Amino acid sequence: MQSFAPLLDPQLMFDSSTGLLKGEHVISESRRLADLAGVFADEAARSAMEPNTVVYSVSSTFPVENGKVGGLFFGCTTIQPGTIGGEYFMTKGHFHTKIDTAEFYWCLEGEGALLLMNESRSCRVERMAPGSLHYIPGCVAHRTINTGEKPLIFGACWPSDAGHNYERIRIHGFSVRLVKGGDGPVVVEA
Ligand code: M6P
Ligand code: ZN
């Protein structure tokens, strides 16, 4: 019988115990309260908290050069549970630099929300729960929010030429925010 090469181990693995990707070309970074000035409505509450507190971590694989057309990037984000002045812990959020590029988010663990905002500042908020899959169309800013008591973990896949435009959100923000109400998350005008 002809013999073939043995099966190879996968090049990347998601480690559910840590929420991190493991393998080649993986870079992990954490965003702490100190990195998130101006992101939450209650800036006084944010600056009064321990600046080293990790709000979220992203572990991503970049198999091709950033900006290359035709490739894909993949990241796993873990947002810790918590609030700042009643507002849930969340990501900074961004438009893509190449604004018409899309992205998928796939919730793995926890409870959360995906805030989507188009260029006319019209928003939609989708519930995230294990297994929920979210298509983020081009020209739509996106931010994820942990509305639960446990870490929210989700996978994301985006084109390698998309880029992150944080500046537009830094200047204008999103038009709504998610705050903790008596019966769960409430969407309020920003
Ligand atoms: C997802 C992807 C990443 C993004 C991360 C955190 O994993 O969309 O590209 O970096 O979420 O979001 P942000 O960059 O807005 O802080
Ligand atoms: Zn994105």
Side-chain angles (χ1 to χ4, degrees):
M1 194 192 287
Q2 192 180 348
S3 74
F4 294 91
L7 297 187
L8 303 174
D9 286 337
Q11 292 178 306
L12 293 156
M13 284 295 288
F14 168 67
D15 180 348
S16 58
S17 66
T18 59
L20 297 173
L21 282 178
K22 284 203 173 140
E24 273 187 57
H25 309 293
V26 171
I27 293 176
S28 298
E29 56 176 351
S30 295
R31 301 260 198 226
R32 298 168 191 273
L33 280 174
D35 305 319
L36 299 173
V39 171
F40 297 89
D42 192 341
E43 183 54 24
R46 185 202 63 87
S47 52
M49 290 167 75
E50 165 52 49
N52 275 323
T53 305
V54 172
V55 177
Y56 62 101
S57 307
V58 189
S59 144
S60 311
T61 178
F62 303 102
V64 298
E65 196 187 320
N66 189 22
K68 186 179 162 65
V69 177
L72 292 170
F73 293 152
F74 192 96
C76 286
T77 300
T78 301
I79 309 178
Q80 298 303 323
T83 55
I84 298 181
E87 189 174 10
Y88 294 107
F89 278 11
M90 60 188 181
T91 60
K92 287 167 69 168
H94 57 272
F95 280 98
H96 289 158
T97 308
K98 193 170 182 183
I99 194 157
D100 61 353
T101 52
E103 184 162 1
F104 266 118
Y105 279 2
W106 193 20
C107 184
L108 300 167
E109 286 180 34
E111 271 174 56
L114 169 61
L115 169 55
L116 301 167
M117 182 179 77
N118 68 17
E119 289 191 273
S120 312
R121 300 187 58 73
S122 169
C123 283
R124 127 188 200 107
V125 186
E126 293 183 4
R127 203 173 301 113
M128 297 177 82
S132 66
L133 180 64
H134 308 265
Y135 179 69
I136 302 163
C139 305
V140 169
H142 34 291
R143 161 178 281 169
T144 40
I145 301 152
N146 186 347
T147 59
E149 307 290 327
K150 293 187 295 187
L152 171 69
I153 306 178
F154 65 95
C157 186
W158 66 101
S160 48
D161 59 336
H164 293 77
N165 176 352
Y166 293 108
E167 198 57 6
R168 208 160 151 177
I169 296 300
R170 189 183 68 75
I171 296 169
H172 304 290
F174 282 80
S175 53
V176 302
R177 293 182 175 277
L178 251 72
V179 298
K180 189 169 187 169
D183 289 327
V186 180
V187 180
V188 297
E189 215 175 302

